[in-house]
Amino acid sequence: MSDTQTTVNTLYTAMPEALYSSLKHVRLLVCDVDGVFSDGRIYLGNAGEELKAFHTRDGYGVKALVNSGVAVAVITGRRSAIVENRMKALNVAHIVQGEENKSDALAELMTRLSLKPEHVAVVGDDMPDTGMYPHASIKIAVKDAHPAVAQQANWITTLPGGFGAVREICDTLLQANDKLHGIQGASV
C-alpha cells in the first residue's frame, strides 16, 4: 500500500478506501468450506466418521449478514453431511458440494441470481478456489491461505480460516453498509 493511498479503518485493519467502498455493492458472499469455515483439517475416526470444527463467531457473522440482506453461498469440492447441516443452521441459501469446477458453479449461480462481478465477494484458501476469483470484484484470501491464493487476492483477512476469518469478512461487509450494530440474534 503506497503512502498516498487513502485507507479506511475497519474493526480489524486498515483497508484501501476503494476496496472498502466496493463492499457496499456486495449482494453475495461465496465461501469455500475447508480452510475457510474450518481450519482445513479433517478428523477421521476408526469407524470412518468425519469431524470438522466450526467457529461459533463465524456462525453469528453469517446469520447477521444474511439478516442484513446479503446472501451467502458455499461452494466446496468435498461432499459432507456435516457441511450441509451446519450451513442450513446458518440460513445459507446456496450450498454447492462435490463441485471440482468452482468457476462454473459460481458462474451458474450468478446467472441464476442475476448478479454481476461487482455484486460478488469470494473467499478461499487454496488453489481450487482461485477459479472463482475472475467472477468477483472482491477476491478474499484467509490469513493462512496458500501464497499463490494470497497473491491473487485484493483482501487478506487478519484472522486464519476456522478461527474467525468468516466473521471478520461479515463484520467488515456489515460495517461498510452501516449495519454492523443493528443486527441481533443468537450465536450458533
Side-chain angles (χ1 to χ4, degrees):
M1 203 171 341
S2 74
D3 293 333
T4 60
Q5 189 175 32
T6 306
T7 61
V8 173
N9 289 322
T10 72
L11 286 175
Y12 298 87
T13 190
M15 175 178 283
E17 184 176 39
L19 178 59
Y20 185 80
S21 293
S22 67
L23 299 180
K24 296 175 185 181
H25 304 289
V26 172
R27 294 178 20 209
L28 176 67
L29 173 64
V30 182
C31 302
D32 176 39
V33 176
D34 295 321
V36 173
F37 271 100
S38 75
D39 64 8
R41 294 183 288 177
I42 299 167
Y43 299 89
L44 300 173
N46 287 330
E49 68 273 19
E50 181 177 310
L51 301 173
K52 295 178 190 277
F54 296 101
H55 205 298
T56 59
R57 279 188 242 151
D58 288 343
Y60 180 85
V62 167
K63 286 184 82 174
L65 193 63
V66 168
N67 288 339
S68 79
V70 176
V72 176
V74 294
I75 299 177
T76 179
R78 293 177 45 84
R79 194 172 286 285
S80 166
I82 296 167
V83 170
E84 186 82 19
N85 294 335
R86 178 67 176 152
M87 294 306 134
K88 284 183 177 179
L90 300 180
N91 301 321
V92 171
H94 312 285
I95 304 166
V96 180
Q97 295 196 74
E99 182 57 64
E100 289 192 24
N101 189 331
K102 293 182 179 189
S103 176
D104 286 352
L106 178 53
E108 181 181 309
L109 180 60
M110 289 172 65
T111 299
R112 194 165 15 115
L113 299 176
S114 300
L115 296 175
K116 297 178 182 175
E118 60 266 22
H119 301 133
V120 179
V122 170
V123 56
D125 72 301
D126 209 346
M127 296 308 293
D129 306 323
T130 61
M132 297 187 288
Y133 280 2
H135 300 288
S137 64
I138 313 273
K139 302 156 183 66
I140 308 165
V142 294
K143 179 181 180 177
D144 57 337
H146 186 278
V149 176
Q151 288 174 348
Q152 296 178 54
N154 54 7
W155 173 7
I156 300 172
T157 64
T158 64
L159 297 170
F163 293 94
V166 173
R167 176 65 177 270
E168 176 180 342
I169 295 161
C170 293
D171 283 349
T172 306
L173 284 164
L174 290 165
Q175 183 179 355
N177 288 283
D178 296 321
K179 295 181 179 181
L180 182 61
H181 300 294
I183 303 296
Q184 301 293 320
S187 183
V188 289

